[in-house]
């Protein structure tokens, strides 16, 4: 494989790289010009399809395929760009917009041309004030220079870009939550079908793409699908911006080919684990994706390989490293708190489950844990989310995965924690004691006792029930 | 025609019917539990109670492919060759999980909750829940608050199904209710100064599957299981909404809507909802009165009726004219008997229509299919709901009878005019109106123009005070019979209360005056006679009225009536209907 050449980040260290002048002087908007003046929309969709570009927003859905789901006879199409970037420890979209807004705009332009969208909404996370300012200025520049507006490059294609700032809810990053929020409603994800491609923003066919996904598009048009596929691992092609944070020496956002291993990323690009410690675990791609244990750090960070260690997927490729001093209970507690706070409250399993998990972990952390809590948590985590089919959106899966991975991979540590951290302030309730004695061991209704997995007799550990 | 396989059995669904899995299963007697779904509201699939296993059968190979995960039944269309499994261990386990989740923050205060006995949580806990409780954390205690002067919200009981929110967005389109906050702190609320006070507000209480939204008028007054439910029709306006009139110990306690796709769907307006109170009024007429020594004295029922019969008979024999006034509050059976009686005395006697009360303008709520929330509305047939300005139940029915007997309808105004000219020797005014309908001045002028005045009513009106005979008739709650609504639909309304002491149902009054043999009459008998005698009423031959009524003047607003679907926790209300069918 030839030496990897970063493209997404190529203007980041150039003086005034965010200005139109510098961007154009470095070959900017040539891909858009090529697409608009020499290709037709279906051709562009075809190229992106051939490149097998997969969405960078979390789900990894093939971008070209998504575009081709739009109904052929549509009259109006909207493009929604997902810049809500709320997954903890993820910050590549912010840097992409702040450092090279025109690359982003060029990506939007080509994507809108391909999908015949004349209006694009950029949904920006509200905290990204600087990014908003930069993008606003860049859009104005691009419009003045004829890269946006009416009849762009004489091709007859019109495009307007609107910036929309969120109000600080994680759930508005979910594509239909985003659309609802954009429409001025409460950010509650919609049921699918209908998918946004059929009925999205304002009930019109809509494409939702992540910022980074669109930033890849100009390079694909410029250099071709074959070039794109020469980077990365099978089924995960192209460059990717990895964010590394947590207990490392250097917290970075770095562009690398997809499929780099987590260990290489930490050791080579983030300066290794801090304070000369060892890594205990790492979050592979935003906390929704679960947890890699120290032994699993050689897993390639791409769309396919992360399933093997039981993670949900690549997510946003935001790696958070935990050193050996980090208690797993703290990690679980923080994850649970985040999701309990961010669950939109629509689906019963997510609304109640995230809240319950949070309270349970809080109790365990404070010294009121029982061993059977681990089973209850695992049982709950296995049954909430779109994977088991019990919720509308993937937030619940994200809430479940840290618990699932954490309990499976660090059960011994958690049990040890529970046993050694018993606070007499948490006495057993009568019911707890009865359950511990097995008084409810026989299901009354003849159904398999799975949900209500009855704790084994004596599982309850409390100073009062010895 | 579509073939749908439910729990291994093949069932067919006729062409043109669009059902989801819940409805399809119900149709063949299989229950899929649900909370948030409602047949008239958009599908949001948020409660997750109705999850089932879904698949499809290959038409050629017969091979069945199942979707590996659970799917909400509300969101699953019953298409040809859909395979539905509702009774697998996986589904049952899921139902138990949802019940556990829904109850972790629920106060379980059934003993003091109005919804107990007709509560989705209670019923499903029993059927699909579990007796173990694994939740030992502290519960969230949400506040109790008023969302209007008539409706209270016990937020801690709410299960966030958002039915109430969707109703105010999609049906009343007033949007007062919102979800506030996130996650398990989410609450239903209103904005300050914008209570849920739209004319349809009370429906949110009926929609609420649990005891969260409560009608303050009914609060803590009765337990649901003590109420006997009667399939009735609201008489407050000419829409004729189908209601369940609910009674205990000789008193009405509330009206609840009953489904009728041709009339009111699942709704009633607040004015109708609270109109039950008139039937409990302690001032209702409790005896018949005869004028003696220029004063009205209570008289035994038979004596009062005998006096009326003899006097009107004498007037007729003398060749003098009696005018009968039939109010639009009479049932068609009562109107038919009264008209037969008056015309039978003297063919030259005159029949007039009583005052038709009106108020404001008709107000129509057309369900919003687009602007509503994010839910799927594609399957809903939008049926508008109208509150009519005409505040009586049966103008059309009475008019049809008047036209049959004398070829024209004489209005109350015309009647007053002719009475003022001294055209009538006697007048027999049957009213039963809910509101005061005549003032002193008009009552006095009418009185002065007729020699003999019989007033049949439920309250003491200025006209009754001046009458020679006052007959205590039946309130809307005490009479059984049919009304013809503004769209020409004839509907049967069952009596919810027995006749008050001292009164006699109007139908019996006329039967006695007509010397009908055979004791108390049944409205069905009369309706059968009416159907034979008056061509306009042919549709109810034999006195049989179909479940959703029958159109006698205009075509039905819905061709094929949609599959009747009622929330299972409310089903007792429906079974009453089945009993009468
Ligand atoms: C709870 C939740 C939060 C999400 N947040 C984001 C986000 O902040 N940014 C983003 O690009 N995608 C986010 N997604 C993924 C989007 O739903 C969607 O898949 C993505 O924007 C599609 O773009 P892509 O195909 O270009 O990746 C989120 C998904 C879920 C379930
Ligand atoms: S899964 Fe959670 S966050 Fe997603 S729609 Fe349901 S309740 Fe909201
Ligand atoms: S108040 Fe009742 S109807 Fe409204 S969301 Fe809560 S449970 Fe549902």
């Amino acid at each position: 494989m030839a030496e990897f050449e970063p493209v997404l980040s190529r203007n980041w260290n150039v003086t005034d790289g965010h200005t139109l002048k510098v961007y154009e002087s470095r070959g900017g908007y040539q891909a858009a010009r090529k697409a608009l003046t020499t290709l037709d929309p279906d051709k562009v969709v075809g190229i992106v399809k051939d490149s097998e570009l997969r969405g960078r927003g979390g789900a990894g859905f093939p971008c070209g395929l998504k575009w081709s789901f739009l109904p052929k006879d549509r009259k109006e199409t909207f493009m929604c760009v997902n810049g809500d970037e709320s997954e903890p420890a993820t910050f590549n979209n912010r840097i992409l917009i702040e450092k090279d807004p025109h690359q982003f705009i060029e990506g939007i332009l080509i994507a809108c041309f391909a999908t015949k969208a004349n209006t694009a909404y950029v949904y920006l996370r509200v905290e990204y004030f600087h990014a908003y300012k930069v993008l606003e200025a860049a859009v104005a520049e691009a419009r003045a220079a004829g890269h946006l507006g009416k009849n762009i490059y004489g091709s007859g294609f019109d495009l307007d870009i609107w910036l929309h700032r969120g109000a600080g809810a994680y759930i508005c990053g979910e594509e239909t939550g985003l659309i609802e929020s954009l429409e001025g409603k409460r950010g509650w994800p919609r049921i699918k079908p209908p998918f946004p491609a059929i009925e999205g923003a304002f009930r019109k066919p809509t494409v939702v793409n992540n910022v980074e996904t669109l930033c890849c598009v100009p390079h694909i048009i410029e250099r071709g699908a074959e070039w794109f596929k020469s980077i990365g691992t099978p089924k995960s092609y192209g460059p990717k911006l990895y964010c590394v944070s947590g207990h490392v020496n250097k917290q970075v956002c770095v562009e690398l080919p997809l499929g780099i291993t987590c260990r290489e990323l930490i050791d080579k690009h983030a300066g290794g684990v801090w304070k000369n410690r060892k890594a205990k675990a790492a979050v592979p791609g935003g906390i929704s994706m679960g947890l890699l244990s120290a032994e699993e750090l050689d897993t390639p960070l791409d769309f396919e390989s992360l399933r093997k260690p039981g993670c949900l997927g690549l997510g946003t490729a935001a790696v958070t490293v935990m050193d050996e001093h980090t208690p797993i209970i703290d990690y679980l507690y923080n994850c649970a708190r985040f999701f309990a706070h961010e669950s939109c409250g629509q689906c019963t399993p997510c609304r109640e489950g995230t809240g319950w998990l949070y309270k349970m972990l809080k109790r365990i952390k404070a010294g009121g844990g029982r061993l059977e809590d681990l089973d209850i948590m695992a049982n709950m985590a296995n049954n909430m989310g779109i994977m088991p089919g019990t919720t509308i959106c993937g937030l619940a899966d994200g809430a479940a995965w840290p618990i699932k991975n954490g309990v499976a991979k660090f059960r011994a540590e958690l049990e040890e924690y529970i046993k050694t951290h018993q606070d007499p302030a948490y006495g057993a309730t009568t019911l707890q004691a009865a359950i511990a004695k097995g008084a409810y061991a026989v299901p009354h209704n003849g159904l398999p006792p799975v949900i209500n997995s009855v704790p084994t007799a004596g599982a309850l550990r409390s100073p009062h029930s010895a | 025609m579509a073939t749908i396989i439910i729990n291994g059995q093949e069932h067919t669904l006729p062409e043109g019917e669009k059902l989801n899995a819940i409805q399809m299963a119900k149709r063949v007697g299989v229950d899929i539990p649900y909370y948030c779904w409602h047949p008239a509201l958009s599908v949001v699939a948020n409660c997750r109670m109705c999850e089932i296993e879904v698949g499809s059968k290959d038409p050629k190979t017969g091979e069945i492919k199942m979707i590996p995960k659970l799917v909400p039944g509300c969101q699953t269309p019953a298409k040809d060759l859909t395979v539905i499994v509702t009774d697998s261990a996986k589904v049952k386990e899921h139902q138990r999980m949802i019940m556990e989740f829904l109850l972790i923050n629920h106060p379980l205060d059934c003993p003091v909750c109005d919804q107990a006995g007709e509560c989705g949580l209670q019923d499903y806990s029993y059927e699909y829940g579990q007796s173990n409780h694994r939740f030992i954390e502290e519960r969230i205690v949400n506040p109790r608050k008023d969302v209007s002067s008539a409706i209270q919200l016990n937020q801690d009981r709410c299960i966030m199904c958002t039915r109430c929110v969707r109703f105010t967005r999609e049906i009343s389109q007033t949007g007062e209710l919102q979800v506030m906050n996130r996650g398990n702190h989410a609450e239903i609320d209103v904005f300050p100064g914008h209570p849920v006070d739209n004319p349809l507000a009370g429906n949110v209480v009926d929609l609420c599957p649990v005891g969260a939204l409560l009608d303050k008028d009914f609060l803590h007054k009765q337990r649901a299981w003590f109420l006997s439910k009667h399939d009735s029709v609201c008489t407050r306006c000419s829409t004729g909404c189908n209601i369940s009139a609910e009674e205990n110990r000789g008193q009405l306690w509330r009206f609840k809507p009953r489904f009728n796709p041709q009339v009111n769907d699942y709704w009633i307006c607040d004015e109708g909802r609270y109109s039950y109170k008139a039937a409990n009024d302690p001032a209702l007429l409790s005896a018949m009165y005869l004028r003696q020594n220029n004063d009205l004295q209570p008289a035994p029922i038979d004596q009062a009726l005998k006096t009326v019969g003899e006097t009107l008979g004498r007037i007729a024999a003398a060749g003098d004219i009696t005018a009968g006034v039939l109010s639009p509050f009479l049932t068609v059976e009562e109107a038919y008997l009264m008209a037969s009686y008056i015309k039978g005395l003297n063919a030259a006697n005159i029949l007039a229509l009583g005052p038709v009360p009106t108020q404001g303008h008709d107000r129509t709520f057309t369900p919003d299919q687009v602007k509503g929330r994010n839910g799927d509305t594609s399957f809903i047939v939008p049926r508008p709901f109208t509150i009519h300005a005409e505040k009586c139940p049966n103008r059309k029915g009475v008019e049809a009878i008047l036209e049959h007997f004398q070829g024209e309808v004489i209005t109350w105004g015309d009647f007053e005019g002719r009475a003022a000219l001294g055209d009538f020797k006697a007048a027999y005014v049957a009213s039963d109106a809910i509101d005061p309908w005549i003032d002193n001045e008009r009552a006095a002028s009418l009185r002065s123009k007729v020699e003999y005045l019989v007033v049949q009513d439920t309250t003491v009106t200025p006209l009754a005070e001046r009458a020679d005979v006052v007959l205590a008739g039946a309130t809307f709650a005490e009479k059984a019979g049919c009304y013809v609504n503004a769209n020409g639909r004839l509907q049967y309304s069952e009596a919810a209360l027995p006749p008050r002491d001292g009164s006699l149902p109007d139908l019996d009054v006329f039967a006695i005056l007509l010397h009908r043999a055979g004791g108390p009459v049944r409205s069905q008998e009369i309706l059968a006679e009416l159907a034979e005698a008056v061509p306009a009423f042919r549709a109810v031959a034999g006195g049989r009225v179909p479940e959703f009524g029958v159109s006698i003047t205009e075509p039905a607003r819905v061709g094929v009536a949609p599959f009747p679907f009622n929330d299972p926790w409310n089903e007792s209300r429906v079974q009453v209907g089945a009993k009468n069918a």
Side-chain angles (χ1 to χ4, degrees), chain A residues 168-171 180 185-186 188-194 203 340-349 351-353 355-356 359-360 363 370 376 379-380 383-384 386-392 429 431-432 435 440 444-445 447-454, chain B residues 43-48 51 68-72 75 89-90 92-94 96-98 100-102 104-105 129-140 158-162 169 179-186 369-377:
Chain A
Y170 175 63
I171 196 58
E180 284 283 299
K185 304 186 204 151
R186 183 182 169 83
W188 272 21
R190 297 175 177 175
I191 54 170
K192 297 129 208 156
R203 302 218 164 202
H341 186 255
E342 296 297 342
S343 164
C344 81
Q346 201 176 185
C347 316
T348 305
R351 176 184 67 242
E352 304 297 342
W356 187 355
K359 285 179 182 171
M360 198 183 276
R363 172 169 52 79
R370 309 166 308 165
I376 297 176
N379 171 240
M380 227 188 298
N383 286 300
M384 54 195 266
I386 38 179
M387 302 296 230
T390 61
T391 60
I392 291 170
T429 63
L431 179 66
Q432 268 175 276
I435 293 173
Y440 290 93
H444 307 300
N445 39 14
L447 292 168
V450 184
I451 276 291
N452 217 359
S453 64
V454 178
Chain B
V43 170
V44 288
N46 65 25
C47 76
R48 311 309 280 194
E51 304 232 17
K69 52 182 169 183
L70 293 169
V71 180
Q75 213 188 320
K90 190 171 168 186
K92 290 188 173 175
E93 191 184 313
H94 173 82
R96 291 204 285 156
M97 174 176 90
I98 297 295
E100 179 176 35
F101 277 140
L102 287 177
I104 63 176
N105 286 308
Q130 53 187 341
S131 50
N132 285 5
H133 214 38
R134 297 183 300 175
F135 185 81
I136 59 162
E137 328 299 332
E138 208 159 304
R139 281 162 204 252
I140 293 170
C158 168
I159 58 167
M160 272 297 140
C161 69
T162 71
R169 301 217 172 137
V179 180
M180 312 253 176
N181 301 336
R182 264 199 322 238
N184 59 3
H185 290 278
Q369 305 292 294
V370 181
K371 273 188 293 171
R373 209 184 74 71
N374 47 27
D376 182 7
T377 52

Side-chain angles (χ1 to χ4, degrees), chain B residues 359-417:
Chain B
Q359 201 181 303
H361 299 280
D362 290 0
R363 185 155 174 201
T364 298
F365 297 83
T366 309
D368 181 8
Q369 305 292 294
V370 181
K371 273 188 293 171
R373 209 184 74 71
N374 47 27
D376 182 7
T377 52
S378 57
F379 64 96
I380 304 176
V381 189
R383 292 187 293 263
F385 179 88
T386 303
I387 302 173
H388 281 94
E390 191 176 295
K391 298 295 175 198
C392 57
N394 199 25
R395 177 180 58 81
K396 286 215 165 161
V398 172
E399 280 181 357
I401 286 166
L402 295 182
E403 262 164 29
H404 171 77
F405 278 92
Q406 66 186 13
E408 63 164 336
V409 176
I410 297 170
T411 62
W412 173 253
D414 292 347
F415 162 77
E416 277 185 317

Side-chain angles (χ1 to χ4, degrees), chain A residues 303-325:
Chain A
F303 292 110
E304 302 298 319
S305 313
L306 280 162
R307 302 251 164 78
K308 221 163 92 209
C311 295
L312 184 49
L314 179 63
T316 58
V319 172
T320 306
V321 181
M322 282 169 260
D323 71 17
E324 56 201 335
H325 291 229

Side-chain angles (χ1 to χ4, degrees), chain B residues 2 27 46 88 99 102 115 140 164 168 200 214 216 227 239 241 256 259 285 341 461 467 518 524 561:
Chain B
R27 210 186 146 97
N46 65 25
S88 64
M99 288 315 299
L102 287 177
Q115 191 84 0
I140 293 170
C164 55
T168 60
L200 303 179
L214 299 164
K216 294 209 298 196
L227 297 171
T239 304
C241 290
K256 286 272 188 181
F259 175 63
L285 267 172
Y341 171 61
T461 61
Q524 194 183 10

